[in-house]
Amino acid sequence: MIAAGIPGERKRRIATLAVWSIVVAFVVLGFKAAAWWITGSVALYSDALESTVNVIAAFAAYWAIQVSHKPADDDHPFGHHKAEYFSAVLEGVLIVVAALLILTEVWRSWQNAAPLEQPWKGLAVNGVATVINAVWAGILIRAGRSDKSPALVADGQHIMTDVVTSVGVFVGLVGAVLTGWRILDPALAVIVALNILWQGWHVIGSSLNGLMDRAVDIQENIRIRDIISANSKGAIEVHDLKTRIAGRATFIEFHLIVDGDMPVRESHLICDRIEDALKAEIPSVRVVIHVEPDDEAKLPRGTTAVPFA
Ligand code: ZN
Ligand code: ZN
């Protein structure tokens, strides 16, 4: 997270985006609710409900950014990164509730299907909301990439998924009005509900991984090993590498085998070199290195530089 610019400045930039996300979510919700009100379409109702999820998600994200950026303190010496998972779990639950509400509404409209009122007016209002959402998703993805913030990129991609759904609903409803197939309206609502359920599953799954201290993925693991190998000249071996991810922070620990007669000062220099290299490559990394003498080595003493056991 400290990759670009001063951390404080970066945090302010991300917090500003989070505030604007709340504003945009409210505006989009207003338009979508109006579009539903005008037409009575159950598909547009589901589109609007999906927007209420975005409003709550935007608030939760703002809260998580504030808490998770607090520096470590006596009560939380490892930092506050996991705050992000609380907001994610809340978001996941709300998403599932929204999907269930939509399915209930589909059932109701199935029972007494009425033709859409003022469909073109409603679709125009809904179209404006979708354009606003698409522009905002683009801004979030671009800002997230330049700030190396996976959370922002994920938010942007989430909204982009909604845009795709909305476009699908829009096209489907235009088809429904032109052909007179009323079944298209509830059918589209069911598709939106399934999309929302899928998003909820994804959000809950990734936050559970975080709460379970999941390791970094295999590519990242290889990258970390490469960085350690390239910067541990003077050491004999590295073993017991463990990683875990908490929010935007990556925790890395491992054992570093050195010659048992090496002065502490010298082995500490090797540790600092590795730590600096990891910090330069990985945002918000915490490294703990346990130095051991050569009789703790797991591999027979080899000729290659710093093998992993
Ligand atoms: Zn060991
Ligand atoms: Zn030190």
Side-chain angles (χ1 to χ4, degrees):
M1 207 68 169
I2 310 172
I6 315 151
E9 184 190 309
R10 191 183 150 76
K11 185 207 156 187
R12 216 169 307 128
R13 209 162 44 223
I14 292 175
T16 308
L17 281 173
V19 170
W20 276 106
S21 280
I22 296 174
V23 175
V24 171
F26 266 117
V27 171
V28 169
L29 171 62
F31 275 104
K32 290 194 173 175
W36 162 55
W37 197 256
I38 292 168
T39 57
S41 155
V42 67
L44 292 183
Y45 167 80
S46 64
D47 209 23
L49 254 188
E50 146 67 21
S51 280
T52 63
V53 171
N54 288 3
V55 168
I56 293 158
F59 272 112
Y62 179 78
W63 175 82
I65 286 164
Q66 296 302 325
V67 175
S68 72
H69 275 83
K70 283 206 315 203
D73 52 32
D74 287 347
D75 291 334
H76 305 90
F78 292 97
H80 299 81
H81 310 96
K82 289 194 176 182
E84 290 178 23
Y85 299 121
F86 285 100
S87 76
V89 168
L90 172 72
E91 187 184 340
V93 171
L94 288 170
I95 287 172
V96 172
V97 171
L100 295 177
L101 285 175
I102 292 170
L103 292 176
T104 322
E105 189 60 26
V106 168
W107 182 246
R108 246 168 36 118
S109 83
W110 201 280
Q111 242 80 4
N112 39 25
L116 301 185
E117 300 158 39
Q118 310 186 61
W120 300 120
K121 197 171 161 194
L123 283 172
V125 172
N126 183 267
V128 170
T130 303
V131 170
I132 295 173
N133 246 355
V135 170
W136 185 244
I139 290 171
L140 282 182
I141 292 172
R142 183 122 39 92
R145 292 218 169 112
S146 78
D147 261 348
K148 294 206 169 56
S149 165
L152 277 187
V153 174
D155 273 359
Q157 281 165 345
H158 169 126
I159 296 176
M160 207 50 113
T161 317
D162 299 344
V163 169
V164 173
T165 322
S166 298
V167 170
V169 167
F170 188 90
V171 172
L173 282 181
V174 168
V177 175
L178 292 181
T179 60
W181 293 345
R182 272 183 222 157
I183 188 80
L184 273 177
D185 187 27
L188 286 165
V190 169
I191 293 171
V192 173
L194 292 180
N195 172 46
I196 294 173
L197 272 183
W198 185 85
Q199 286 179 15
W201 164 252
H202 193 76
V203 166
I204 292 173
S206 60
S207 36
L208 288 183
N209 277 336
L211 291 172
M212 290 301 293
D213 285 335
R214 194 188 171 93
V216 297
D217 63 29
I218 187 75
Q219 284 92 342
E220 184 72 350
N221 185 288
I222 291 168
R223 191 162 81 99
I224 289 169
R225 283 166 180 262
D226 286 346
I227 295 168
I228 295 172
S229 292
N231 290 281
S232 44
K233 193 164 170 288
I236 295 167
E237 181 188 293
V238 171
H239 64 229
D240 289 3
L241 172 70
K242 288 179 193 153
T243 63
R244 71 185 171 91
I245 297 173
R248 60 189 188 287
T250 304
F251 291 80
I252 300 174
E253 58 177 72
F254 57 88
H255 299 179
L256 184 76
I257 307 288
V258 297
D259 184 333
D261 296 325
M262 180 184 280
V264 173
R265 193 180 303 283
E266 208 176 307
S267 60
H268 182 242
L269 274 178
I270 301 175
C271 292
D272 277 354
R273 204 187 325 127
I274 300 173
E275 285 171 22
D276 290 345
L278 287 168
K279 281 176 189 159
E281 293 282 332
I282 301 165
S284 290
V285 71
R286 312 290 161 91
V287 187
V288 178
I289 307 174
H290 177 73
V291 175
E292 292 175 335
D294 45 358
D295 48 333
E296 295 284 331
K298 291 186 175 176
L299 290 171
R301 200 153 177 174
T303 44
T304 48
V306 206
F308 271 90

